[in-house]
Amino acid sequence: MLSDTDIATRETSLRVALRSLVVVVFFWWSATGIIFALERSEATRALGLVLASGLAVWGAWLLYLERDRGTASGARRSFLGSAFLWTWVQVAFYGGWLVGPRSLMVPVPAQSPSWAFAVQSVLSMLWYQLAMVAVLIVTGVLTARRANRAGWWSLVLFWVTHQAASINIFLGVENPGRGFFPESLTYLESYFGPQRNSVLLPISVALLLMFTLRTIVHALRDASPVRRQGMMLLSVLGVLGVLELSVLGMPVTLPFWQAFLDVRGY
């Protein structure tokens, strides 16, 4: 009888890539859409927080269980564990539960980007920023020096892409994506930069693209099932990150989540 490792080793690169694509894209699309839909009312926001908290506990448990498992399936479960933790932070943020000091949750006068304005924008989402860092630390501790760190690296890429998008929107992009924030968070749109692309945007896209190409090469060459699957998951995340940053710089609207926004009702 073949072990899981033997079966994983015999998987083709195409199969690993397809499984990564399904896992990452389906999670990215469905989780984002559900978060938008849950903004419909106070009751749905509270329900979302309860469900996300349960998933976060499960996610931490998955990271713990799979951290020594050197198989492709272990890498996918580790990814889902970190993704559930990330989802909890996003649900808490978009539901208005975890944002920043109340005194700073107000629109600010339009002004050009500056260091002082940047500090103010970070402080307006201070609890949210600290929660993301806390999740990174928890995931890092759970998987430190273990065979399976796919979840940790996936979470790092989630965070880096998110920060890159936020900084670019602050400095100015063609398509900042107004209308996605719930009513309680629309004040954050006052921190959006001018509606033109800054020089940082193409640099950000190029750096993320270089990273993604590197992970693809490693995914195709690595003989370890867990590292090959982990690198392929990072590759798909990287492609989605490049797409997200690129859309910021183009005057286009992609109706990926329109059905969920219709459920939200505003």
Side-chain angles (χ1 to χ4, degrees):
M1 183 175 180
L2 291 173
S3 67
D4 289 344
T5 301
D6 292 332
I7 293 172
T9 302
R10 296 193 310 143
E11 288 187 341
T12 65
S13 296
L14 178 60
R15 182 176 297 180
V16 173
L18 289 175
R19 286 183 176 178
S20 302
L21 188 66
V22 171
V23 170
V24 175
V25 174
F26 178 74
F27 175 84
W28 169 73
W29 175 79
S30 62
T32 303
I34 290 170
I35 289 171
F36 290 154
L38 287 171
E39 299 159 15
R40 181 177 178 86
S41 67
E42 290 292 336
T44 57
R45 283 195 287 271
L47 175 62
L49 183 63
V50 172
L51 294 176
S53 298
L55 285 175
V57 173
W58 184 26
W61 183 240
L62 277 175
L63 286 166
Y64 176 78
L65 286 179
E66 303 296 332
R67 60 184 182 171
D68 291 318
R69 192 175 179 205
T71 64
S73 60
R76 290 192 293 271
R77 293 190 189 103
S78 182
F79 164 78
L80 286 176
S82 66
F84 289 155
L85 287 169
W86 184 256
T87 299
W88 174 79
V89 177
Q90 303 309 312
V91 169
F93 170 67
Y94 279 95
W97 306 93
L98 190 67
V99 186
R102 289 288 174 184
S103 60
L104 294 176
M105 293 175 60
V106 293
V108 295
Q111 54 184 291
S112 299
S114 65
W115 284 112
F117 194 35
V119 170
Q120 188 176 356
S121 68
V122 171
L123 290 177
S124 70
M125 298 186 294
L126 182 60
W127 312 142
Y128 174 48
Q129 298 286 351
L130 291 177
M132 286 190 287
V133 173
V135 166
L136 279 170
I137 292 172
V138 169
T139 307
V141 170
L142 284 173
T143 61
R145 299 180 181 178
R146 300 290 180 163
N148 183 2
R149 305 202 74 198
W152 156 253
W153 288 113
S154 298
L155 197 56
V156 169
L157 188 54
F158 272 126
W159 183 80
V160 169
T161 304
H162 180 277
Q163 297 302 323
S166 299
I167 294 171
N168 275 287
I169 290 173
F170 175 79
L171 293 177
V173 292
E174 181 76 20
N175 180 22
R178 296 180 184 274
F180 284 99
F181 283 129
E183 293 174 350
S184 60
L185 299 182
T186 52
Y187 75 92
L188 292 172
E189 293 184 359
S190 63
Y191 289 100
F192 288 5
Q195 200 164 346
R196 61 177 183 273
N197 296 330
S198 73
V199 68
L200 180 63
L201 185 60
I203 295 174
S204 301
V205 172
L207 290 174
L208 187 54
L209 181 59
M210 289 169 57
F211 169 82
T212 303
L213 292 174
R214 185 176 178 83
T215 59
I216 291 173
V217 171
H218 279 290
L220 294 175
R221 291 180 176 178
D222 209 308
S224 167
V226 66
R227 288 199 299 270
R228 182 171 58 174
Q229 178 66 87
M231 285 294 176
M232 195 63 76
L233 289 167
L234 291 179
S235 299
V236 178
L237 276 177
V239 169
L240 291 176
V242 170
L243 175 63
E244 177 184 349
L245 292 177
S246 299
V247 168
L248 291 178
M250 298 183 291
V252 297
T253 301
L254 300 179
F256 289 150
W257 299 284
Q258 189 57 49
F260 296 101
L261 292 172
D262 291 341
V263 171
R264 185 177 72 173
Y266 63 87

